[in-house]
Structures are given as C-alpha cells and as structure tokens.
Short mmCIF file of all heavy atoms in Angstrom, two decimals:
data_model
loop_
_atom_site.label_atom_id
_atom_site.label_comp_id
_atom_site.label_asym_id
_atom_site.label_seq_id
_atom_site.Cartn_x
_atom_site.Cartn_y
_atom_site.Cartn_z
N GLY M 1 95.48 116.91 94.28
CA GLY M 1 95.31 117.52 92.97
C GLY M 1 96.53 117.21 92.12
O GLY M 1 97.57 116.77 92.63
N GLY M 2 96.44 117.42 90.82
CA GLY M 2 97.57 117.14 89.94
C GLY M 2 97.11 116.72 88.57
O GLY M 2 96.18 117.29 88.01
N ARG M 3 97.70 115.65 88.05
CA ARG M 3 97.33 115.17 86.72
C ARG M 3 97.73 113.71 86.56
O ARG M 3 98.63 113.21 87.24
CB ARG M 3 97.98 116.00 85.62
CG ARG M 3 99.51 115.94 85.61
CD ARG M 3 100.10 116.94 84.61
NE ARG M 3 101.56 116.98 84.68
CZ ARG M 3 102.37 116.25 83.92
NH1 ARG M 3 101.85 115.39 83.06
NH2 ARG M 3 103.67 116.37 84.03
N VAL M 4 97.07 113.04 85.65
CA VAL M 4 97.40 111.65 85.34
C VAL M 4 98.66 111.63 84.49
O VAL M 4 98.76 112.34 83.49
CB VAL M 4 96.25 110.96 84.57
CG1 VAL M 4 96.68 109.57 84.13
CG2 VAL M 4 95.00 110.90 85.42
N LEU M 5 99.61 110.82 84.91
CA LEU M 5 100.81 110.63 84.11
C LEU M 5 100.65 109.47 83.13
O LEU M 5 100.98 109.59 81.96
CB LEU M 5 102.01 110.35 85.02
CG LEU M 5 102.44 111.47 85.95
CD1 LEU M 5 103.51 110.97 86.92
CD2 LEU M 5 102.95 112.66 85.15
N ARG M 6 100.10 108.36 83.64
CA ARG M 6 99.99 107.18 82.77
C ARG M 6 98.95 106.22 83.31
O ARG M 6 98.94 105.91 84.51
CB ARG M 6 101.34 106.47 82.68
CG ARG M 6 101.40 105.30 81.71
CD ARG M 6 101.36 105.79 80.26
NE ARG M 6 101.42 104.67 79.35
CZ ARG M 6 102.55 104.19 78.81
NH1 ARG M 6 103.71 104.73 79.13
NH2 ARG M 6 102.52 103.18 77.96
N LEU M 7 98.05 105.76 82.45
CA LEU M 7 97.21 104.61 82.76
C LEU M 7 97.96 103.40 82.25
O LEU M 7 98.35 103.34 81.09
CB LEU M 7 95.85 104.74 82.06
CG LEU M 7 95.04 106.00 82.35
CD1 LEU M 7 93.68 105.92 81.68
CD2 LEU M 7 94.89 106.25 83.84
N PHE M 8 98.16 102.43 83.12
CA PHE M 8 99.07 101.34 82.77
C PHE M 8 98.51 100.02 83.26
O PHE M 8 97.77 99.96 84.23
CB PHE M 8 100.44 101.59 83.42
CG PHE M 8 101.55 100.73 82.89
CD1 PHE M 8 101.99 100.87 81.58
CD2 PHE M 8 102.15 99.79 83.69
CE1 PHE M 8 103.02 100.08 81.09
CE2 PHE M 8 103.19 98.99 83.21
CZ PHE M 8 103.63 99.14 81.90
N ASN M 9 98.87 98.96 82.55
CA ASN M 9 98.47 97.61 82.94
C ASN M 9 99.71 96.73 82.99
O ASN M 9 100.49 96.72 82.04
CB ASN M 9 97.45 97.04 81.95
CG ASN M 9 96.90 95.70 82.40
OD1 ASN M 9 97.61 94.70 82.43
ND2 ASN M 9 95.63 95.67 82.74
N SER M 10 99.90 96.03 84.10
CA SER M 10 101.05 95.14 84.22
C SER M 10 100.62 93.85 84.90
O SER M 10 99.57 93.79 85.52
CB SER M 10 102.17 95.81 85.02
OG SER M 10 101.86 95.83 86.40
N VAL M 11 101.46 92.84 84.77
CA VAL M 11 101.16 91.55 85.39
C VAL M 11 101.08 91.66 86.90
O VAL M 11 100.14 91.16 87.52
CB VAL M 11 102.21 90.50 84.96
CG1 VAL M 11 102.00 89.19 85.74
CG2 VAL M 11 102.13 90.23 83.47
N PRO M 12 102.04 92.33 87.58
CA PRO M 12 101.92 92.41 89.05
C PRO M 12 100.88 93.41 89.53
O PRO M 12 100.14 93.14 90.48
CB PRO M 12 103.32 92.82 89.50
CG PRO M 12 103.91 93.50 88.32
CD PRO M 12 103.34 92.83 87.11
N GLY M 13 100.80 94.58 88.91
CA GLY M 13 99.95 95.65 89.43
C GLY M 13 98.57 95.71 88.83
O GLY M 13 97.71 96.44 89.35
N GLY M 14 98.30 94.97 87.76
CA GLY M 14 97.00 95.04 87.10
C GLY M 14 96.76 96.41 86.53
O GLY M 14 97.68 97.09 86.05
N LEU M 15 95.51 96.85 86.54
CA LEU M 15 95.17 98.19 86.06
C LEU M 15 95.65 99.22 87.09
O LEU M 15 95.31 99.13 88.26
CB LEU M 15 93.66 98.33 85.87
CG LEU M 15 93.03 97.47 84.77
CD1 LEU M 15 91.53 97.67 84.73
CD2 LEU M 15 93.64 97.78 83.41
N MET M 16 96.45 100.18 86.63
CA MET M 16 97.05 101.15 87.54
C MET M 16 96.89 102.56 86.99
O MET M 16 96.77 102.77 85.78
CB MET M 16 98.55 100.86 87.71
CG MET M 16 98.85 99.51 88.34
SD MET M 16 100.63 99.27 88.56
CE MET M 16 101.15 99.03 86.87
N VAL M 17 96.90 103.51 87.91
CA VAL M 17 96.97 104.93 87.58
C VAL M 17 98.23 105.48 88.21
O VAL M 17 98.44 105.35 89.42
CB VAL M 17 95.75 105.71 88.11
CG1 VAL M 17 95.95 107.22 87.86
CG2 VAL M 17 94.47 105.24 87.44
N TYR M 18 99.10 106.07 87.39
CA TYR M 18 100.23 106.83 87.89
C TYR M 18 99.87 108.31 87.75
O TYR M 18 99.50 108.75 86.67
CB TYR M 18 101.50 106.54 87.09
CG TYR M 18 102.14 105.20 87.38
CD1 TYR M 18 101.77 104.07 86.67
CD2 TYR M 18 103.12 105.08 88.36
CE1 TYR M 18 102.37 102.84 86.92
CE2 TYR M 18 103.72 103.85 88.62
CZ TYR M 18 103.34 102.74 87.90
OH TYR M 18 103.92 101.53 88.15
N ALA M 19 99.98 109.07 88.84
CA ALA M 19 99.60 110.47 88.83
C ALA M 19 100.66 111.32 89.50
O ALA M 19 101.37 110.84 90.40
CB ALA M 19 98.25 110.68 89.51
N ALA M 20 100.78 112.57 89.07
CA ALA M 20 101.66 113.53 89.73
C ALA M 20 100.82 114.44 90.60
O ALA M 20 99.67 114.77 90.25
CB ALA M 20 102.42 114.34 88.69
N ASP M 21 101.36 114.84 91.74
CA ASP M 21 100.66 115.82 92.55
C ASP M 21 100.83 117.20 91.90
O ASP M 21 101.55 117.35 90.92
CB ASP M 21 101.18 115.81 93.99
CG ASP M 21 102.49 116.56 94.13
OD1 ASP M 21 103.37 116.38 93.25
OD2 ASP M 21 102.65 117.32 95.10
N SER M 22 100.17 118.22 92.45
CA SER M 22 100.19 119.53 91.82
C SER M 22 101.55 120.22 91.88
O SER M 22 101.82 121.14 91.12
CB SER M 22 99.13 120.44 92.46
OG SER M 22 99.35 120.53 93.86
N SER M 23 102.44 119.76 92.76
CA SER M 23 103.78 120.34 92.82
C SER M 23 104.73 119.67 91.85
O SER M 23 105.87 120.13 91.68
CB SER M 23 104.34 120.22 94.24
OG SER M 23 104.70 118.87 94.52
N GLU M 24 104.28 118.58 91.24
CA GLU M 24 105.11 117.80 90.30
C GLU M 24 106.36 117.23 90.98
O GLU M 24 107.36 116.96 90.32
CB GLU M 24 105.51 118.65 89.10
CG GLU M 24 104.35 119.25 88.32
CD GLU M 24 103.87 118.35 87.18
OE1 GLU M 24 104.71 117.87 86.41
OE2 GLU M 24 102.65 118.16 87.06
N ARG M 25 106.29 117.05 92.28
CA ARG M 25 107.41 116.45 93.00
C ARG M 25 107.16 114.99 93.36
O ARG M 25 108.09 114.25 93.63
CB ARG M 25 107.69 117.22 94.29
CG ARG M 25 108.03 118.68 94.10
CD ARG M 25 108.27 119.37 95.43
NE ARG M 25 108.27 120.81 95.30
CZ ARG M 25 108.40 121.66 96.30
NH1 ARG M 25 108.53 121.19 97.53
NH2 ARG M 25 108.38 122.97 96.10
N PHE M 26 105.89 114.62 93.40
CA PHE M 26 105.52 113.29 93.89
C PHE M 26 104.73 112.53 92.83
O PHE M 26 103.95 113.11 92.08
CB PHE M 26 104.69 113.39 95.17
CG PHE M 26 105.40 114.11 96.28
CD1 PHE M 26 105.16 115.45 96.50
CD2 PHE M 26 106.30 113.44 97.09
CE1 PHE M 26 105.82 116.12 97.52
CE2 PHE M 26 106.95 114.10 98.12
CZ PHE M 26 106.72 115.45 98.33
N ILE M 27 104.95 111.23 92.81
CA ILE M 27 104.18 110.32 91.96
C ILE M 27 103.34 109.44 92.87
O ILE M 27 103.85 108.83 93.82
CB ILE M 27 105.09 109.46 91.08
CG1 ILE M 27 105.86 110.34 90.09
CG2 ILE M 27 104.28 108.41 90.33
CD1 ILE M 27 106.91 109.60 89.29
N LEU M 28 102.04 109.40 92.61
CA LEU M 28 101.12 108.56 93.37
C LEU M 28 100.64 107.44 92.46
O LEU M 28 100.25 107.68 91.32
CB LEU M 28 99.93 109.37 93.89
CG LEU M 28 100.28 110.49 94.89
CD1 LEU M 28 100.58 111.79 94.14
CD2 LEU M 28 99.15 110.72 95.86
N MET M 29 100.67 106.22 92.96
CA MET M 29 100.27 105.08 92.16
C MET M 29 99.10 104.36 92.83
O MET M 29 99.14 104.08 94.03
CB MET M 29 101.44 104.12 91.97
CG MET M 29 101.17 103.06 90.89
SD MET M 29 100.41 101.56 91.53
CE MET M 29 101.86 100.71 92.15
N TYR M 30 98.07 104.08 92.05
CA TYR M 30 96.87 103.37 92.51
C TYR M 30 96.80 102.07 91.71
O TYR M 30 96.65 102.09 90.48
CB TYR M 30 95.63 104.21 92.25
CG TYR M 30 95.71 105.65 92.76
CD1 TYR M 30 96.38 106.63 92.03
CD2 TYR M 30 95.10 106.03 93.96
CE1 TYR M 30 96.46 107.94 92.48
CE2 TYR M 30 95.18 107.35 94.41
CZ TYR M 30 95.86 108.29 93.67
OH TYR M 30 95.93 109.59 94.10
N GLY M 31 96.92 100.91 92.39
CA GLY M 31 97.02 99.65 91.69
C GLY M 31 95.91 98.66 91.99
O GLY M 31 95.11 98.84 92.92
N HIS M 32 95.86 97.58 91.18
CA HIS M 32 94.88 96.48 91.27
C HIS M 32 93.45 96.97 91.00
O HIS M 32 92.49 96.38 91.51
CB HIS M 32 94.93 95.80 92.64
CG HIS M 32 96.27 95.23 92.98
ND1 HIS M 32 97.01 94.48 92.09
CD2 HIS M 32 97.00 95.29 94.14
CE1 HIS M 32 98.14 94.11 92.68
NE2 HIS M 32 98.17 94.60 93.90
N LEU M 33 93.29 98.03 90.21
CA LEU M 33 91.96 98.59 89.98
C LEU M 33 91.09 97.63 89.17
O LEU M 33 91.58 96.88 88.32
CB LEU M 33 92.07 99.92 89.24
CG LEU M 33 92.86 101.03 89.94
CD1 LEU M 33 92.91 102.28 89.06
CD2 LEU M 33 92.26 101.35 91.29
N ASP M 34 89.80 97.69 89.42
CA ASP M 34 88.84 96.90 88.64
C ASP M 34 88.50 97.60 87.33
O ASP M 34 88.08 96.97 86.37
CB ASP M 34 87.56 96.70 89.46
CG ASP M 34 86.68 95.59 88.91
OD1 ASP M 34 87.22 94.49 88.67
OD2 ASP M 34 85.48 95.82 88.71
N GLY M 35 88.69 98.90 87.29
CA GLY M 35 88.43 99.67 86.08
C GLY M 35 88.73 101.14 86.34
O GLY M 35 88.92 101.56 87.49
N TYR M 36 88.79 101.91 85.27
CA TYR M 36 89.03 103.34 85.37
C TYR M 36 87.72 104.11 85.31
O TYR M 36 86.74 103.65 84.73
CB TYR M 36 89.93 103.82 84.23
CG TYR M 36 91.29 103.17 84.18
CD1 TYR M 36 91.72 102.49 83.04
CD2 TYR M 36 92.15 103.26 85.26
CE1 TYR M 36 92.98 101.90 82.99
CE2 TYR M 36 93.41 102.68 85.21
CZ TYR M 36 93.82 102.01 84.07
OH TYR M 36 95.06 101.43 84.03
#
C-alpha cells in the first residue's frame, strides 16, 4: 500500500513507476513497463 510518487520515463528504465510504501520509509520502483 502507499502512493505513487512519480510516473517517469528514462532511457535506461523506460516507463517506470516510483511509489512510496504506506510508512513513507521505502521507495519501490517498477521499470521497463509496457504501459500504465
């Protein structure tokens, strides 16, 4: 659980989601996505 911090696109990671967990201590990154 948590919230999206940033939808981002970069040359190495492609389409990515940066998200914070519900404690706001951790950042989770999901990369190389085909779409959101």
